[in-house]
Amino acid sequence: MASPRLSLTAGPADPRSRALLDWYDRHRRVLPWRALPGRRSDPYHVWLSEIMLQQTTVETVKPYFAKFLALWPDIRALAAADDQTVLSAWAGLGYYARARNLIACARAVAARPGAGFPETEEGLRALPGIGAYTAAAIAAIAFDEPAVVIDGNIERVIARLEAIETPLPRAKVEIAAALRPMVPAGRPGDFAQALMDLGSGICRPRNPDCLLCPFRSTCKAAAEGRATAFPVKPARKGKAIRHGTAYLVRDGAGRILLGTRPERGLLAGMAEVPNTGWAETAPPDSPPVRAEWTRRNAPVIHVFTHFELRLIVAETRLADEPTPPAGLRWVAEADLPGEPLPTLFRKVIGIAG
Ligand code: SF4
């Protein structure tokens, strides 16, 4: 439960931080996982939202956050949930290793005294799926630790505020060094959330609204009229491309043939449409059943963090309802929403939103 904030001490020493907190007190976003002004956030809510928000937008996360809280209102409930049910509820959020780590982390926290999260960055980092950024964010927002929280939005704001000319990712060290002395001892959680709000609403990547910004009189990039030149990007390299074939099989009853991915690796443990796997050179054909196949002209294209996948879809419809091949199963279309099907395979089946 949210508890009263413990450390409403004197204002921050850095006038820029003071200006930012004043702005935040007037313009803070209302978010489902955010505590009311003057209250401390529930660590479970902060952790859940931060894990969901990695690589995903606030608007995408909101319905998932509501669904998870309705199904599992606290960490003990989530820790006791069945893996497949959690993966199914996660389906569509992508980056499924995070869902697996979410379950592992919930169980690790539930096993602690009082099922409480560690309150320090160091303690939080020892949990599954919690990296440097997430540990800092939870420590600051849920426990008011003076952690240096840097996500993509904050990185942009600070790179502009200080006009840091070093390209990313090398600039990260300078950004952290510039931010550290700005973190106020009294309201570090609000300070981090204020920077997040500023980065997402005002100091936007393309059209920063410098006139409305609390840093407008102190920002070096704005003073030089070069806001969008920062952060300086590294030279672009093209993404690697991988190819493969997915086999979309329907039986006489219209059911779809699905498998389950291995417990390790990309999309671990999720459901899949049978496929050849993927590589830089398309792997050899390996259809799961003997049949006449029709290949769709355009491949399904899906972009992962480190490569772009181009998957040819081969389709067939069987006349009868045979026993599925070993390791595969028939799933009725009406039951697909309950399957932990990643977006890639939803696209293959043609049900991606
Ligand atoms: S003044 Fe402009 S560029 Fe500088 S931090 Fe504010 S919005 Fe960003």
Side-chain angles (χ1 to χ4, degrees), residues 30-35 45 58 62 65-66 69:
V30 175
L31 296 172
W33 44 87
R34 193 173 267 185
H45 296 181
V58 164
K62 280 180 180 172
F65 181 79
L69 277 200

Side-chain angles (χ1 to χ4, degrees), residues 157 160-161 198 202-204 208-210 213-216 219 221-222 227:
V157 173
R160 288 174 176 176
L161 187 62
L198 190 75
I202 302 282
C203 194
R204 295 180 298 262
D209 217 337
C210 299
C213 180
F215 293 146
R216 65 188 170 280
C219 175

Side-chain angles (χ1 to χ4, degrees), residues 2 6 23 41 98 110 123 161 207 250 299 339 346:
L6 300 177
W23 173 85
S41 299
R98 286 191 284 133
L161 187 62
N207 299 305
R250 288 189 172 80
E339 287 285 333
R346 289 176 186 268

